[in-house]
Amino acid sequence: MDIAVVGGGIAGLTTALALTAEGLPCTVFERSDRRSAGGFGIQLAPNAGRVLDRLGLGPALDAVAVRPVARELRRWDGTLLARTELGEAATRRYGAPYRLLRRADLLRVLAAAFPGPVVHGRRCIGVEEFRGGVELRFAGGARHRATAVIGADGLHSAIRGCIAVDDERPTGFAAVRALVPADPGDEPRIVVRLGPGGHCVTYPVGGGLGNVVGILPADADPATFFAADSPLAGGVPAPLLDRPPLPKWHRGRLAVVGDAAHPMLPFLAQGAAQAIEDAAAIACALRTTGGFDAFEAQRRPRVERVVAAVDAGRHGAPATLPDHDWIYGC
Ligand SMILES: Cc1cc2nc3c(=O)[nH]c(=O)nc-3n(C[C@H](O)[C@H](O)[C@H](O)COP(=O)(O)OP(=O)(O)OC[C@H]3O[C@@H](n4cnc5c(N)ncnc54)[C@H](O)[C@@H]3O)c2cc1C
């Protein structure tokens, strides 16, 4: 029996890679039939980059990612409020580059590096512990026995539901996203535009494309919230949900990581980054102690601090980079 990782997204695949690097065999079970070809972008902050670089993924990521030279904070009308340099000096400072890429490219890089099995079309619907292990049940009747289960199955996690009972809750915000042609003359940078009640972030993702994400009140209409010529004006908003803090991220032989453990609003672009940090921590804890206590003890204070910083931005401006050395640095 090996370790079962439920969910083949960013958290699940990184956890599988980290377990493999620690010499712990595992199998990933993913509910979708095939890997997502979803095209929107993702910012990979240096704290995530350090983990992925240590797993040997730096060259593969650099082949598909863009390194921004700066992050700018602007008013809705374009007035520059602050600019933080993110070039070589920041890479040296944080020990890894800031990278911008398409989610599908990130998932492809993670999946290509994982030597173990990823079983697609397996939606986990429950787990039962027995003496010495755990049996997973899947929709359609399949079963699998494992020594332990790591739930990396996102906001609507089935594994979280085996640890505690709670519900998703609305945050009052929604997101609209679009991919647009990038201006080849532009220097690669992240631009955050702050507006009343929402904000908009643009950045290049490689392949001649730029990612645009707008955050707006859940009851607002993008057609009137954004300028008529904005690529977001015709978009369909997706409500942003989260969950109440989970008192414990593990129970017995089950644990959760990433959004399954601690979903957060995307205001600091840290959801995936924290999931990636979880992956390294849980693999190290399992190798060194054989259990999940050390994982939670190490990760919980940091994740709670990040979530608190994100929540502080709910009613104000997203924070600027220099205040967040503690997130990006070692
Ligand atoms: C608009 C927006 C922008 C964002 N931008 C950034 C950013 O720039 N940088 C950043 O770090 N974060 C960002 N985030 C947050 C980031 O997207 C999430 O934190 C991250 O995707 C969480 O990864 P995960 O693997 O934990 O969960 P998910 O991405 O939800 O993956 C879960 C996986 O589990 C599978 N699954 C679900 N249920 C089951 C089941 N029962 N059985 C088997 N498989 C199952 C799913 O199919 C999926 O593949 C953003 C979020 C939003 C909404």
Side-chain angles (χ1 to χ4, degrees), residues 119-324:
V119 187
H120 283 268
R122 283 281 191 279
R123 181 166 65 85
C124 181
I125 55 171
V127 291
E128 278 146 35
E129 290 200 44
F130 60 91
R131 207 180 164 84
V134 186
E135 186 167 78
L136 296 97
R137 287 184 290 111
F138 298 97
R143 288 173 178 257
H144 178 86
R145 288 193 158 198
T147 52
V149 177
I150 299 176
D153 47 346
L155 178 71
H156 309 289
S157 169
I159 303 304
R160 179 179 175 122
C162 302
I163 295 175
V165 178
D166 60 15
D167 286 322
E168 297 95 357
R169 49 183 194 183
T171 61
F173 292 97
V176 195
R177 294 187 266 194
L179 278 179
V180 297
D183 185 340
D186 268 2
E187 64 172 3
R189 69 206 153 120
I190 305 158
V191 179
V192 182
R193 283 194 179 75
L194 304 174
H199 65 270
C200 173
V201 186
T202 55
Y203 54 86
V205 289
L209 293 170
N211 189 73
V212 189
V213 53
I215 305 293
L216 69 168
D219 55 1
D221 179 356
T224 48
F225 193 83
F226 300 109
D229 61 350
S230 162
L232 301 177
V236 180
L240 293 175
L241 308 174
D242 70 0
R243 282 180 181 269
L246 188 59
K248 224 154 171 32
W249 297 344
H250 69 284
R251 182 178 65 75
R253 291 172 181 268
L254 313 179
V256 279
V257 294
D259 277 12
H262 43 69
M264 63 185 78
L265 281 164
F267 293 180
L268 287 174
Q270 275 293 311
Q274 293 303 312
I276 288 166
E277 288 193 21
D278 284 350
I282 203 165
C284 179
L286 278 178
R287 181 185 55 79
T288 52
T289 70
F292 294 125
D293 284 320
F295 156 67
E296 182 151 356
Q298 185 207 330
R299 290 290 298 144
R300 188 174 269 279
R302 175 161 165 82
V303 168
E304 286 181 351
R305 193 173 171 203
V306 173
V307 170
V310 171
D311 283 344
R314 277 181 195 239
H315 306 293
T320 53
L321 264 183
D323 302 327
H324 290 87

